[in-house]
Amino acid sequence: MTPEGPAKLWELTPESDRDRLETEVSRLQDFEIQTCDLVNANLILPFQQAGDYEATWARILAALPVGGRFSCMLYGERYDAADDPGMTCPTPDAICS
């Protein structure tokens, strides 16, 4: 998210829904994920190093109640940069488990 992202999100959110919206910009591996109905991690999980990825994924799952939603973009093991040590590109089995 760009530094302008939260302000734009607030601008686009209807006033009646703003009391339910909370935004924060931080490093994902440092962010405390509170219980919530939706976690959106677009374009960030693949750029977590393997050691941070597993812990981050566990925190995401712990934050979501039954029926909660998660959205993100993941790159699989066949992605061009899958060999890059700064990226985590899980297998399809790992993604689905």
Side-chain angles (χ1 to χ4, degrees):
M1 179 178 284
T2 65
E4 300 82 18
K8 188 64 173 176
L9 182 60
W10 280 97
E11 177 187 318
L12 295 171
T13 301
E15 243 182 89
S16 60
D17 293 328
R18 290 182 185 163
D19 63 328
R20 299 183 302 136
L21 178 63
E22 188 175 321
T23 61
E24 183 172 337
V25 177
S26 70
R27 292 173 6 125
L28 186 57
Q29 62 267 35
D30 298 333
F31 181 64
E32 180 183 335
I33 305 170
Q34 299 178 14
T35 301
C36 57
D37 294 324
L38 171 66
V39 173
N40 178 29
N42 277 354
L43 296 175
I44 194 166
L45 282 179
F47 299 98
Q48 299 286 295
Q49 298 212 358
D52 293 329
Y53 184 92
E54 294 297 326
T56 300
W57 182 244
R59 288 191 350 265
I60 289 170
L61 292 178
L64 292 170
V66 173
R69 306 249 177 190
F70 172 72
S71 65
C72 76
M73 296 174 83
L74 295 174
Y75 303 124
E77 62 187 352
R78 295 179 292 196
Y79 180 65
D80 291 344
D83 297 352
D84 183 327
M87 293 190 70
T88 301
C89 299
T91 65
D93 288 341
I95 292 169
C96 294
S97 63

